[in-house]
Amino acid sequence: MTTSDLTASGSARTSPRMIAGFSDYLRIARFDHMTKNVFILPGIALALLLRGNATTEGPLDILWNVVIGFVAAVGVASANYVINEWLDRDFDRFHPEKSQRAAVQRRMFGPLVLLEYLLLLGAGLALASLVNDALFAACLLLAVSGITYNVKPIRTKDRPYLDVLSESINNPIRLLIGWAMVDAGSLPPVSLLLAFWFGGAFLMNSKRLAEYRDIVASDGRETLGLYRRSFRHYSENHLSVANLVHALLCAFFVAIFLIKYRIEYILLFPGIVTLFAVYYALALTPNSVARKPEKLYRARPVILASVATTVLFVFATFADIPALEVLASQHFIETGALHLLPSRP
């Protein structure tokens, strides 16, 4: 198949381009993707548990921070989506689903897209500044992440492996946003930030693995390379090994956090392992929801594993189990007395 054939194939997925309407400009902001902001919730919960006594904020102040902070995060994230869809419009037409996006299907005007981006970004940062400087800085980091991921000459989404790491850094940033809503005077533990980063890398790499398997099977590897340049350097083996690396690094930093800050949280490990296993199985399933992380609420195994892990988290938060302290200290099985045992005849 030649490049011209592929171009024609990509064009065939698009209908005649009509001038975009107001609803099309709303679509590229992807407000339906706000479910990804669920990663803000652990930041709120862990800040309350670990820093609740240190914060000077009252319950009503924290509630205000959470409401305004969520709206601010949605605004900045939607601004990132706007430039994502606009700058990817010539590549998305080679993707089976993304070829139906408004920026591909409709004629949009660059100045209007830029205005939408600036309005959403400005509103998000302005709201964040009403809460505290820490939340403003975290939202600003989210905005910078969107620029480095999408905009040339950096455009990390075109670089193999760096594409996953740069996209998944939004996970610890969202953790920071949630933490700042409760305690603006500290940062989350580095082990927790790194665990969220590599956990997010596992999710994003699984998405790419699912896309690779499905699109190569249906349209060929050449089409996949036209959709995203980084895929030209990937193979199924590369993505599978990367998944293993991200999962191991996430588990390593999770273990550090659990042992240092609350040993009872070690009880969460079976739930965390189950979540990783279930999600990886989804990535290996044709046309699975792993390709659309914003739709994960439709994946029953993921929901069940998430609920079970949440129940374990609540239990471990309120249950003190001194016997588990043995896991955080050195113990050896002494064998020196074995020579005192009677020898066999």
Side-chain angles (χ1 to χ4, degrees), residues 284-317:
L284 298 177
T285 303
N287 300 311
S288 74
V289 74
R291 292 174 58 176
K292 301 177 181 179
E294 69 279 1
K295 305 293 184 183
L296 276 179
Y297 60 87
R298 298 180 179 176
R300 190 166 181 265
V302 173
I303 296 302
L304 290 176
S306 299
V307 170
T309 305
T310 302
V311 170
L312 288 172
F313 174 77
V314 173
F315 174 78
T317 296

Side-chain angles (χ1 to χ4, degrees), residues 156-161 163 208 225 228-234:
T156 56
K157 65 167 50 176
D158 286 336
R159 307 174 190 273
Y161 303 110
D163 60 337
R208 283 161 176 76
R228 185 67 55 78
R229 186 174 299 173
S230 59
F231 274 112
R232 299 173 186 175
H233 306 276
Y234 286 140

Side-chain angles (χ1 to χ4, degrees), residues 125-180:
L125 293 178
L127 287 171
S129 68
L130 295 178
V131 178
N132 54 53
D133 291 341
L135 184 63
F136 175 83
C139 286
L140 186 61
L141 277 177
L142 187 61
V144 171
S145 171
I147 293 172
T148 58
Y149 184 65
N150 291 289
V151 181
K152 292 181 178 180
I154 303 175
R155 196 172 162 83
T156 56
K157 65 167 50 176
D158 286 336
R159 307 174 190 273
Y161 303 110
L162 186 59
D163 60 337
V164 170
L165 292 174
S166 60
E167 183 178 15
S168 59
I169 202 170
N170 289 339
N171 276 24
I173 292 175
R174 285 188 168 97
L175 179 76
L176 278 171
I177 289 174
W179 187 281

Side-chain angles (χ1 to χ4, degrees), residues 23 25 29 70 89 96 114 123 127 160 182-183 231-232 252-253 290 302:
S23 61
Y25 286 95
F70 259 104
R89 65 194 185 281
L114 178 60
L127 287 171
V182 176
D183 181 23
F231 274 112
R232 299 173 186 175
F252 174 72
F253 289 113
V302 173

Side-chain angles (χ1 to χ4, degrees), residues 1-233:
M1 183 178 288
T2 65
T3 302
S4 59
D5 293 333
L6 294 171
T7 303
S9 174
S11 300
R13 289 199 181 104
T14 64
S15 57
R17 287 162 57 89
M18 300 173 59
I19 295 177
F22 180 74
S23 61
D24 295 311
Y25 286 95
L26 282 182
R27 279 174 59 196
I28 66 173
R30 296 192 214 165
F31 291 113
D32 58 326
H33 284 220
M34 67 176 62
T35 53
K36 292 180 180 178
N37 289 313
V38 69
F39 290 104
I40 291 175
L41 297 178
I44 297 172
L46 290 170
L48 286 170
L49 291 170
L50 300 178
R51 297 288 297 175
N53 295 330
T55 182
T56 58
E57 301 277 8
L60 291 179
D61 293 325
I62 292 176
L63 180 60
W64 162 264
N65 292 351
V66 169
V67 172
I68 300 301
F70 259 104
V71 178
V74 169
V76 176
S78 292
N80 287 346
Y81 289 137
V82 166
I83 58 172
N84 179 294
E85 294 219 6
W86 173 251
L87 296 176
D88 282 1
R89 65 194 185 281
D90 290 331
F91 306 102
D92 284 346
R93 61 197 178 97
F94 296 104
H95 192 279
E97 290 92 26
K98 294 180 181 180
S99 59
Q100 302 306 310
R101 286 178 171 177
V104 179
Q105 293 285 321
R106 298 287 186 267
R107 289 172 53 199
M108 291 187 159
F109 296 98
L112 285 179
V113 174
L114 178 60
L115 177 62
E116 181 181 5
Y117 168 76
L118 292 175
L119 287 175
L120 287 168
L121 179 62
L125 293 178
L127 287 171
S129 68
L130 295 178
V131 178
N132 54 53
D133 291 341
L135 184 63
F136 175 83
C139 286
L140 186 61
L141 277 177
L142 187 61
V144 171
S145 171
I147 293 172
T148 58
Y149 184 65
N150 291 289
V151 181
K152 292 181 178 180
I154 303 175
R155 196 172 162 83
T156 56
K157 65 167 50 176
D158 286 336
R159 307 174 190 273
Y161 303 110
L162 186 59
D163 60 337
V164 170
L165 292 174
S166 60
E167 183 178 15
S168 59
I169 202 170
N170 289 339
N171 276 24
I173 292 175
R174 285 188 168 97
L175 179 76
L176 278 171
I177 289 174
W179 187 281
M181 295 175 185
V182 176
D183 181 23
S186 69
L187 295 175
V190 173
S191 57
L192 188 61
L193 290 170
L194 289 172
F196 264 69
W197 189 4
F198 288 111
F202 175 83
L203 295 178
M204 294 300 101
N205 193 83
S206 294
K207 175 185 175 183
R208 283 161 176 76
L209 177 59
E211 285 184 319
Y212 185 94
R213 289 168 57 86
D214 289 347
I215 298 177
V216 167
S218 62
D219 294 80
R221 188 171 178 177
E222 295 86 357
T223 299
L224 190 63
L226 290 172
Y227 153 63
R228 185 67 55 78
R229 186 174 299 173
S230 59
F231 274 112
R232 299 173 186 175
H233 306 276

